[in-house]
Amino acid sequence: MIIGSGQLAKVFAKSQIKDDVCIFASGVSDSNCINEKQFEREKNLLIDTLKSSCDKKFVYFSSCALSAVEYPKNDYYKHKANMENSVKEYSNSYYIFRIPQLFGDFILHKTLINFIYKSIEHKYKFTVYDEAYRYVIEINDVRRLVESYLLTKGNSTVDLANPYRYKVLDIVKIFEQLLNKKAYYEFVQKEDKYTLDLTSLENFVKEKELDIKFGEEYLMNKLKEKL
C-alpha cells in the first residue's frame, strides 16, 4: 500500500513491497514551507491512514535535521516532529526514516540538488551561504535501504544519508564540472549546518552487504549516472 504520487511513491511502486506494509509518501517535502494548510493536509491524511492501517508495518519519511539537537527548528521541522509523534501513537509497527537532501530525476522540484542543477542549466543567478553544508541521498538508495530495514524489527527511527557531509559550494562545483558550465552565484556570510552520527547506518549497509557505495565520491558518481 503506497500513499502518494510523487517521486518517492513512484520509486516504491516498482518495489516488491508486501501487502502488510504501508508506505506514506505524501508528506510536505519543502523544508521552507510555512503554509499551515499544507501541514494540516498532511496531518489529516496521516492520521486517517494510520487509523485504517494500524495492522500494517507503517513507513513514514521525516527529516534528518530532527536528529541534530543543536540545529534550529523552523515550522516545517516542528511539524515533522509532531507527525513522528502521531506515527508512534497510532502505529503498532512503525519505521520512521529521516532523510536529508533527496535527489532523483532532474524535474522541477524545490530541492537543493534540483535547484542548483536548473540554475546552472538556465544561467540563473543564485545565492550560496559560505558556511552551508548538506547531507544527501539518492532516491533509489532510499528504496534499497527501506526494503532491508523492513525485514528487521519495527518501532525504530533511522537516519538515511550518505555519511559524507558536503559543503553547498562543493555541490555547485560538482555540477559545474559535470555540466561543463559556469554557475552564477553570490556569497552570503551565513552558517547553516548540522552533524549526524551515521555509524549505525554504515554498519547496517556492511552487515546486509548492500550495494551502496557511500563516501566523498557518492554524489559525483550518482549525478554522473543521471546526466
Side-chain angles (χ1 to χ4, degrees):
M1 178 179 180
I2 300 171
I3 306 298
S5 58
Q7 280 200 90
L8 261 179
K10 290 176 181 176
V11 164
F12 280 99
K14 303 173 185 177
S15 178
Q16 300 298 318
I17 296 296
K18 297 182 179 180
D19 293 337
D20 66 340
V21 176
C22 176
I23 304 288
F24 189 88
S26 185
V28 179
S29 59
D30 182 2
S31 61
N32 293 313
C33 181
I34 57 174
N35 189 331
E36 286 296 332
K37 289 184 179 179
Q38 290 295 321
F39 295 151
E40 194 67 19
R41 179 202 66 80
E42 179 182 350
K43 176 184 176 182
N44 292 336
L45 178 60
L46 177 65
I47 292 177
D48 286 346
T49 306
L50 282 163
K51 287 181 177 179
S52 63
S53 307
C54 60
D55 60 331
K56 297 179 182 293
K57 293 180 181 180
F58 196 90
V59 172
Y60 181 74
F61 296 101
S62 187
S63 170
C64 281
L66 295 183
S67 297
V69 177
E70 79 284 358
Y71 193 69
K73 306 301 188 292
N74 60 17
D75 289 346
Y76 169 82
Y77 296 123
K78 292 174 183 176
H79 164 72
K80 283 296 184 183
N82 289 333
M83 295 304 93
E84 287 189 7
N85 289 334
S86 293
V87 171
K88 294 174 183 178
E89 178 182 354
Y90 288 99
S91 177
N92 295 321
S93 180
Y94 65 83
Y95 299 79
I96 296 173
F97 293 106
R98 292 175 173 174
I99 55 180
Q101 292 295 323
L102 179 69
F103 63 99
D105 296 331
F106 293 122
I107 61 174
L108 186 61
H109 199 278
K110 292 181 179 180
T111 56
L112 177 67
I113 303 296
N114 285 35
F115 171 77
I116 293 174
Y117 169 75
K118 292 292 183 183
S119 295
I120 296 176
E121 274 285 270
H122 298 287
K123 299 182 180 180
Y124 298 148
K125 190 173 183 179
F126 57 100
T127 298
V128 176
Y129 295 165
D130 64 342
E131 282 298 314
Y133 291 79
R134 290 292 184 270
Y135 292 92
V136 304
I137 194 164
E138 197 270 335
I139 197 166
N140 288 292
D141 286 341
V142 170
R143 176 183 57 77
R144 294 185 188 100
L145 287 163
V146 169
E147 288 172 346
S148 294
Y149 273 106
L150 283 171
L151 300 176
T152 66
K153 185 178 179 181
N155 297 346
S156 57
T157 301
V158 183
D159 287 309
L160 302 183
N162 174 29
Y164 183 85
R165 187 179 68 167
Y166 296 89
K167 195 167 188 175
V168 171
L169 178 58
D170 290 336
I171 297 176
V172 173
K173 289 179 178 179
I174 289 172
F175 269 115
E176 285 184 315
Q177 181 179 339
L178 290 175
L179 296 171
N180 195 28
K181 291 184 178 181
K182 177 179 173 54
Y184 296 91
Y185 57 87
E186 61 180 1
F187 268 126
V188 172
Q189 291 187 333
K190 186 173 180 178
E191 182 179 290
D192 188 0
K193 60 185 179 182
Y194 58 81
T195 302
L196 298 173
D197 181 359
L198 294 158
T199 305
S200 61
L201 175 64
E202 291 180 281
N203 291 337
F204 183 83
V205 170
K206 290 179 182 177
E207 177 189 337
K208 302 300 180 183
E209 298 182 342
L210 300 178
D211 185 23
I212 300 176
K213 296 178 176 61
F214 284 141
E216 185 175 353
E217 298 301 316
Y218 176 82
L219 180 60
M220 173 71 84
N221 292 335
K222 290 293 180 179
L223 292 179
K224 277 182 180 178
E225 294 174 4
K226 298 179 183 300
L227 295 171

